Amino acid sequence: MVLESIARIIKHQLPAYLKKLPLPETIGGFARLTVSEWLRLLPVLGILALLGYLTIRPFLPKKRKQKDSLINLKIQKENPKVVNEIDIEDLKSPSACYCRCWRSKTFPVCDKSHIKHNELTGDNVGPLILKKKIL
């Protein structure tokens, strides 16, 4: 039943629809079409545009990934910035900040490059802060 309906549409109704379309003989004839004639052409033109796009789509250049993309994909995303503090008793200085954004010029020590990275990408990565426990 369904296939018979589809066959009837393709064999009879589609050719009848296409014959009634107001296709001009020349390019200049498109300028003389009325609004109602353009509206009748719209579905066909839309389908042709879609088919054309799908045909050339594999040859279009791929979108490049953003140079500064997210680093932190799932850790504490509800926080504006991820900062962990760990007390370490054997530190020579009272505290140390270590880079977790991989953009520091003094890596592995943090130089606050994560601030610019977070502004560019919307990420929330921050430094690892090690603190010496004061007894």
Side-chain angles (χ1 to χ4, degrees):
M1 174 91 176
V2 174
L3 290 178
E4 292 172 0
S5 299
I6 293 172
R8 190 178 87 247
I9 290 171
I10 292 173
K11 289 180 182 179
H12 302 291
Q13 292 177 344
L14 185 60
Y17 169 74
L18 293 174
K19 284 180 186 175
K20 292 178 184 177
L21 285 178
L23 292 175
E25 297 287 327
T26 64
I27 299 269
F30 281 100
R32 292 186 292 275
L33 290 176
T34 65
V35 174
S36 63
E37 290 172 329
W38 272 109
L39 290 176
R40 288 179 33 212
L41 280 175
L42 203 57
V44 173
L45 295 175
I47 289 171
L48 290 175
L50 177 64
L51 290 175
Y53 171 73
L54 292 176
T55 302
I56 66 167
R57 185 174 163 202
F59 304 106
L60 293 175
K62 303 286 187 252
K63 288 184 179 178
R64 293 183 183 175
K65 292 185 179 178
Q66 186 177 349
K67 184 178 178 183
D68 289 309
S69 59
L70 292 178
I71 292 173
N72 179 12
L73 299 177
K74 59 183 178 180
I75 300 170
Q76 298 179 23
K77 292 303 277 185
E78 66 279 0
N79 294 335
K81 183 180 356 175
V82 178
V83 178
N84 299 348
E85 292 187 20
I86 301 171
D87 292 331
I88 304 221
E89 297 161 11
D90 295 333
L91 284 176
K92 293 179 183 175
S93 62
S95 67
C97 292
Y98 290 96
C99 178
R100 293 196 305 183
C101 73
W102 294 87
R103 303 232 178 342
S104 175
K105 303 265 190 282
T106 59
F107 191 85
V109 178
C110 176
D111 67 355
K112 298 186 181 182
S113 294
H114 61 272
I115 295 171
K116 182 177 179 187
H117 165 78
N118 289 345
E119 288 172 358
L120 287 173
T121 63
D123 205 351
N124 67 346
V125 70
L128 170 65
I129 301 173
L130 302 178
K131 285 186 175 181
K132 190 174 187 179
K133 204 179 240 185
I134 299 173
L135 299 172

